[in-house]
Amino acid sequence: MEIFSSFDFPELNWTDFTLLSELFASRNTLYKSFNTFLGEILECFHSEVATYRNKAVKAIRHIAADVPEILDETRIRVPVIQRIHDGSPSVRDSTVEVLAKYLGRQTDVPRKLYNIVSTRIMDTAINVRKRVVKLLRDLYYKCSDEELKIDIASKLILRMSDSEVSISDLALKMSQEVLFSPFHDIDQDENDYFGASYDNAPKARKERIKQLTNIITGAVALMEGGNTTALSQIVQKTIDTSNEKSKLWFEKIFQWIIDCLFNTMMAHDEADEIEQFKNCLVTEDWPLARYVLNIYQDVLPRIKHHDPDLIAIIERLLVQLVGSSPLEVTPSAVSCLCVIVDRISHRYNILVTILGSCIVKLRAILKGIKQMKSLDRPATNVAKLLIICGLLCQHFDFDGKRKEAYEKVKALDKIAEGKIESTAFELLFWYCGKYSYAENTLIRMAALQSLGYFFMRYPTWITTESCLDLMDETFKEGSVVMQTRLMKVYHEFLSSEEYRLARNEEVAGTSLYTKEIDVDILLGNTADFAELGVNGSLMQRYLSKILECSISDSSDLRYASYEVISVVMHQGLAHPVLCMPAIFAAETSPDNALRHKAFYLHRFAHDKYGTLLYTHFPQYFVKAFQYQKLHFENGAQGYRTSGGDTKFDALFGLAFSIIKQKKKPKMDFLSALLKPFRFDLKETTVDEVDVYYLRFLADNIITLDLTQSDEAMLLLYHISRIQATSCADLISYIQFIKKNRSGSDMIDHFAAKSAIAMYILLRIKTFLKDLYGISDR
């Protein structure tokens, strides 16, 4: 004790101990080697093996967990950011996780880094998209820039339409949280104004509501393609997924948003700018006019009390717009006018007058064509009349109003004594015929589109004999533009059917379940039941034609037909195996948007139908090859390169990433790739051996991302069996030819093609053995 008492130790706190520990540790060899280890980690960022790159990113994540400042160093942050574009989904996922933690400790959101990370919300990997959705929610509360908040909200709303259900649900939840949860703060002040009308709220509360509403409308306006239905979709999904208590709260919020939007529009009146606001409907600023029309159509019917003078002014402007607007704006103008007349003003004579004018003019033109075989006016004017006529039939039930309010629509008797639907159909159908005068195609396309609008209101007409003959003729002899237009009609018709049935249920309300049902309905003797089977019967007849159009020479026809196939798969209108060849082919498309859309549709079908999809792999391969020949003819290859990247990606890679999730389909897929190399020399003809097709399959085999040893071993096993049979028979056949045709210069094309096929097979085997380090033993 006396020895130690001669030493005096100063009083130390925890900070001093920490500094002393670091000082002693700094003398350790391991501590001095930190930069060396870090350099090795950074070197792995550029490894060709995805596992090494993933572990390198995770190593940085562990270091950053204890020393977050390390990501502030440019030499570390830049390589990490570059890995967000890595070809491996696991590497991208780890990178997003690291950057999410880095952004989480920032006081503000760096815009440049945000732009890089936020684009991965469209990533093909589910985990990456899901992580980015969660990250954007966190960034929304961190940033103070309203423009950035609008961009985040738009990206979240966009993911609500994701084909992956889990991501769609998560995006809906995050969108509700960022867009509607801030209204809770308004509800927590001392004075309880919540639930009262927007007009009676204090000025400060109005400003706050307006600010939040601007973010919502700004996010919808920012969405790619001007998706004007996004706001109604999120509102509908929010209501559908809410319980009774939360639904009441959301309905109050939505009423405030509606009142705020309408008051914002009406504020132009106070600023003496009402004329400028009205002029957006009569000037050539058609995109702005379309937005205003959509606002009117969605908002006006939900306003409890209307100014009659304002409604009359709007109706007058819409009538003018219907006649003066270009064809792309006409659908919005007509639908808006029909909604206002049907649900607000009830001045049905406006629509009756427009319909009567169109029918009278079309009848006069029809008569002139029959007599003089020519048009007395521009074809665009005729097309406009046809489009308006079809749209009026779609958005307003003239025959129904005859029964409900005959006095208000008795002018219809001057148009037709019978049903308006029959009169309109016969007139529109006649213009779909062939005539011997110029610009006939434009009118026929407009007439076909008008029939499409007509079918949305009266679906059973599409299965009449005359319509079926028209569609048969269009597929058989019609031009590409007519077939493309027919595809668009199919897509709009199929998409509208589900909405139409839901709308009928909404209008019926509780009466749908409480009304008396007579014997005819119980027996199915009603038009309601007939309408339910239209979609399925239509696709059973024409699905094969639609599938043929999916590999047409015309890109417009291919895209239009694929949209129809997508709806057919989602609605279950045909056996999924029938549609899979077209989906598989689209997954090899050079168009990124179409390729990824096909991938998501394949994923949807895989989750829903499972192994049922994978019984006809050879048909899928042939369809994909035919699709590639449209772009490259005999130069079709089975791989693609991304930009200047030296890594080759198999065209079948996207499909294989889904198929390999189940073992049996994966093995069947790999076996099917080699099946075309196995042929009987006695039965196979020279035309059946397609060297270009075999080369296409070989490219896919050697560029597929095989991650398990049994995959490569299975391919080598099948190759060895083919070599032991078909290849051995070929050698005997060639020796026989040489023996019996000595001195002859004639070439045996079948033997030549077969030899090339066996050589391709040999090259596949050599490549697989070298790539995966497999020896002959």
Side-chain angles (χ1 to χ4, degrees):
M1 295 296 295
E2 294 180 357
I3 297 175
F4 290 102
S5 63
S6 62
F7 296 94
D8 294 328
F9 291 95
E11 185 177 351
L12 300 175
N13 55 32
W14 182 255
T15 304
D16 296 330
F17 281 117
T18 303
L19 293 174
L20 286 173
S21 299
E22 291 184 1
L23 177 62
F24 293 142
S26 64
R27 299 175 179 272
N28 189 283
T29 306
L30 183 63
Y31 184 92
K32 295 179 179 180
S33 302
F34 174 77
N35 288 329
T36 303
F37 293 151
L38 188 60
E40 292 295 329
I41 293 174
L42 294 178
E43 190 70 25
C44 290
F45 271 81
H46 306 287
S47 172
E48 294 183 358
V49 183
T51 304
Y52 290 166
R53 299 196 302 272
N54 190 26
K55 289 184 178 296
V57 175
K58 289 183 176 180
I60 296 296
R61 182 191 64 188
H62 289 306
I63 297 174
D66 294 325
V67 188
E69 296 80 8
I70 193 174
L71 288 174
D72 291 332
E73 298 184 28
T74 304
R75 69 185 181 111
I76 297 176
R77 186 176 67 254
V78 171
V80 171
I81 293 175
Q82 290 175 345
R83 287 303 98 202
I84 205 170
H85 302 294
D86 195 278
S88 170
S90 59
V91 176
R92 298 197 302 272
D93 185 36
S94 300
T95 303
V96 172
E97 183 182 3
V98 172
L99 294 178
K101 292 182 178 180
Y102 172 74
L103 290 171
R105 55 181 289 271
Q106 302 295 312
T107 56
D108 200 6
V109 180
R111 189 58 184 263
K112 186 174 181 180
L113 183 56
Y114 164 79
N115 292 335
I116 296 174
V117 176
S118 63
T119 56
R120 304 318 303 176
I121 200 170
M122 298 292 291
D123 199 284
T124 56
I126 296 175
N127 291 338
V128 177
R129 299 202 304 276
K130 189 176 296 185
R131 194 179 295 278
V132 175
V133 167
K134 294 179 180 178
L135 172 61
L136 292 182
R137 185 272 313 269
D138 297 335
L139 296 181
Y140 183 89
Y141 293 110
K142 180 180 290 293
C143 68
S144 56
D145 185 1
E146 183 173 329
E147 182 181 350
L148 197 60
K149 287 187 173 183
I150 290 175
D151 188 70
I152 292 174
S154 69
K155 286 182 169 61
L156 292 176
I157 295 174
L158 187 65
R159 281 300 91 204
M160 285 172 49
S161 59
D162 198 289
S163 58
E164 178 65 30
V165 177
S166 60
I167 296 179
S168 177
D169 294 340
L170 179 64
L172 173 61
K173 182 179 178 181
M174 299 296 101
S175 299
Q176 291 171 345
E177 188 172 330
V178 301
L179 296 179
F180 304 138
S181 293
F183 284 92
H184 274 293
D185 298 335
I186 302 177
D187 193 25
Q188 300 302 319
D189 59 8
E190 297 179 356
N191 299 319
D192 185 15
Y193 296 97
F194 195 79
S197 65
Y198 174 81
D199 293 331
N200 296 331
K203 183 176 180 180
R205 175 171 289 196
K206 283 185 178 180
E207 288 296 326
R208 179 60 177 155
I209 294 174
K210 183 178 180 180
Q211 181 183 5
L212 297 175
T213 302
N214 288 341
I215 293 177
I216 297 174
T217 55
V220 174
L222 191 62
M223 293 180 65
E224 183 177 356
N227 189 350
T228 56
T229 63
L231 184 56
S232 60
Q233 288 176 359
I234 187 173
V235 170
Q236 189 62 51
K237 287 185 178 181
T238 300
I239 293 295
D240 293 341
T241 56
S242 302
N243 55 36
E244 292 298 326
K245 184 177 179 181
S246 59
K247 182 182 294 186
L248 180 62
W249 186 82
F250 278 122
E251 287 176 350
K252 292 178 180 179
I253 289 179
F254 298 151
Q255 187 62 52
W256 276 26
I257 294 173
I258 291 172
D259 292 340
C260 178
L261 289 172
F262 196 74
N263 283 4
T264 301
M265 290 195 305
M266 292 302 101
H268 290 276
D269 192 12
E270 300 176 4
D272 295 328
E273 296 177 359
I274 186 66
E275 291 302 324
Q276 179 180 352
F277 181 71
K278 293 177 184 176
N279 287 341
C280 69
L281 296 180
V282 293
T283 61
E284 294 185 357
D285 191 354
W286 301 120
L288 177 60
R290 190 158 43 214
Y291 283 125
V292 172
L293 290 170
N294 290 325
I295 293 173
Y296 278 154
Q297 185 173 343
D298 291 336
V299 173
L300 288 178
R302 291 171 171 80
I303 299 296
K304 295 180 179 179
H305 304 288
H306 299 90
D307 181 358
D309 295 334
L310 176 63
I311 297 300
I313 293 174
I314 293 175
E315 283 181 333
R316 187 171 65 252
L317 291 175
L318 288 174
V319 171
Q320 297 174 6
L321 188 63
V322 168
S324 62
S325 63
L327 287 178
E328 59 268 19
V329 181
T330 302
S332 298
V334 174
S335 62
C336 183
L337 178 61
C338 290
V339 167
I340 292 176
V341 170
D342 189 23
R343 300 175 62 179
I344 300 176
S345 71
H346 305 297
R347 288 189 278 265
Y348 305 137
N349 60 300
I350 296 176
L351 301 180
V352 173
T353 301
I354 297 175
L355 179 66
S357 176
C358 291
I359 290 180
V360 169
K361 292 178 180 179
L362 288 172
R363 283 172 174 170
I365 296 170
L366 183 152
K367 184 177 180 181
I369 292 175
K370 287 183 175 180
Q371 293 177 351
M372 304 177 62
K373 303 297 183 182
S374 63
L375 281 174
D376 60 352
R377 65 193 70 196
T380 53
N381 293 355
V382 182
K384 183 71 173 290
L385 292 172
L386 291 167
I387 293 295
I388 294 174
C389 187
L391 288 168
L392 287 172
C393 292
Q394 176 192 357
H395 295 290
F396 191 79
D397 187 5
F398 290 95
D399 292 320
K401 294 303 177 185
R402 258 181 171 172
K403 299 177 181 179
E404 298 174 7
Y406 174 75
E407 291 299 324
K408 293 185 178 181
V409 295
K410 61 182 180 180
L412 288 173
D413 295 339
K414 299 179 181 179
I415 301 174
E417 295 180 358
K419 287 187 175 182
I420 293 297
E421 64 174 284
S422 301
T423 302
F425 173 77
E426 292 173 0
L427 192 60
L428 296 176
F429 182 81
W430 188 90
Y431 278 93
C432 285
K434 292 183 178 180
Y435 319 109
S436 57
Y437 60 84
E439 297 183 310
N440 170 247
T441 302
L442 176 62
I443 295 179
R444 292 190 68 204
M445 288 176 59
L448 185 58
Q449 182 64 66
S450 301
L451 280 178
Y453 295 140
F454 178 87
F455 295 147
M456 293 181 198
R457 168 69 68 172
Y458 309 104
T460 54
W461 280 93
I462 199 172
T463 56
T464 58
E465 195 66 30
S466 56
C467 285
L468 295 177
D469 291 341
L470 173 64
M471 291 183 284
D472 289 339
E473 182 184 355
T474 302
F475 280 119
K476 186 178 180 180
E477 302 177 358
S479 62
V480 172
V481 291
M482 284 295 291
Q483 292 178 358
T484 304
R485 180 65 63 181
L486 183 58
M487 292 298 109
K488 293 180 180 178
V489 168
Y490 282 158
H491 178 249
E492 293 172 354
F493 175 76
L494 297 176
S495 301
S496 69
E497 273 298 271
E498 187 174 357
Y499 172 79
R500 186 184 64 83
L501 295 175
R503 177 62 181 165
N504 290 343
E505 182 176 336
E506 178 184 348
V507 172
T510 56
S511 65
L512 186 66
Y513 307 98
T514 59
K515 65 180 181 181
E516 295 183 1
I517 302 178
D518 58 23
V519 177
D520 286 340
I521 292 181
L522 289 176
L523 295 175
N525 300 326
T526 173
D528 293 338
F529 286 94
E531 293 177 357
L532 296 177
V534 171
N535 288 6
S537 60
L538 186 68
M539 288 300 103
Q540 286 179 8
R541 183 181 179 106
Y542 292 111
L543 182 61
S544 60
K545 302 293 184 181
I546 296 170
L547 293 174
E548 290 177 9
C549 293
S550 67
I551 56 170
S552 168
D553 294 337
S554 169
S555 59
D556 291 338
L557 181 56
R558 289 200 304 270
Y559 294 149
S561 61
Y562 186 78
E563 291 294 334
V564 179
I565 294 171
S566 179
V567 176
V568 169
M569 287 292 289
H570 279 101
Q571 294 186 5
L573 299 177
H575 197 291
V577 173
L578 298 177
C579 300
M580 276 305 297
I583 297 173
F584 196 91
E587 286 181 294
T588 68
S589 173
D591 186 329
N592 285 332
L594 180 61
R595 186 167 68 247
H596 291 154
K597 188 169 185 178
F599 171 79
Y600 295 139
L601 186 58
H602 185 180
R603 182 60 182 266
F604 164 80
H606 176 85
D607 294 339
K608 187 173 183 179
Y609 301 107
T611 56
L612 180 65
L613 299 174
Y614 308 122
T615 56
H616 297 82
F617 278 125
Q619 295 181 13
Y620 303 171
F621 300 157
V622 171
K623 193 80 167 183
F625 179 63
Q626 293 173 349
Y627 186 86
Q628 289 300 311
K629 287 180 68 175
L630 293 176
H631 300 283
F632 308 105
E633 296 183 352
N634 289 333
Q637 297 175 328
Y639 58 86
R640 73 172 63 88
T641 56
S642 302
D645 197 351
T646 58
K647 184 178 182 297
F648 298 107
D649 297 323
L651 295 184
F652 293 169
L654 275 182
F656 184 64
S657 66
I658 299 175
I659 295 170
K660 70 179 182 181
Q661 296 175 9
K662 297 182 182 294
K663 185 174 182 179
K664 187 178 184 308
K666 178 182 71 172
M667 296 304 181
D668 292 343
F669 173 85
L670 296 174
S671 301
L673 284 172
L674 292 169
K675 188 175 181 180
F677 291 90
R678 184 185 295 110
F679 44 81
D680 190 338
L681 297 180
K682 296 180 180 180
E683 298 180 359
T684 307
T685 63
V686 63
D687 294 330
E688 292 177 354
V689 182
D690 189 344
V691 175
Y692 298 107
Y693 176 57
L694 298 178
R695 184 187 65 181
F696 174 76
L697 294 178
D699 288 342
N700 277 284
I701 293 172
I702 62 180
T703 54
L704 275 177
D705 186 13
L706 305 179
T707 56
Q708 297 181 4
S709 58
D710 61 337
E711 297 168 355
M713 295 299 293
L714 178 68
L715 290 170
L716 293 173
Y717 167 75
H718 283 290
I719 291 174
S720 298
R721 291 196 60 182
I722 294 173
Q723 288 178 329
T725 54
S726 298
C727 190
D729 293 342
L730 177 62
I731 293 174
S732 300
Y733 178 67
I734 293 175
Q735 290 176 346
F736 172 79
I737 293 174
K738 292 173 65 177
K739 181 178 180 180
N740 291 274
R741 297 183 184 178
S742 57
S744 175
D745 295 334
M746 186 174 60
I747 299 176
D748 189 311
H749 293 283
F750 176 72
K753 282 188 173 183
S754 301
I756 294 173
M758 293 302 106
Y759 178 73
I760 293 174
L761 197 65
L762 179 62
R763 294 293 297 170
I764 295 174
K765 182 177 182 180
T766 304
F767 185 88
L768 290 175
K769 289 168 61 178
D770 293 342
L771 181 62
Y772 297 101
I774 301 174
S775 63
D776 292 330
R777 298 179 183 177

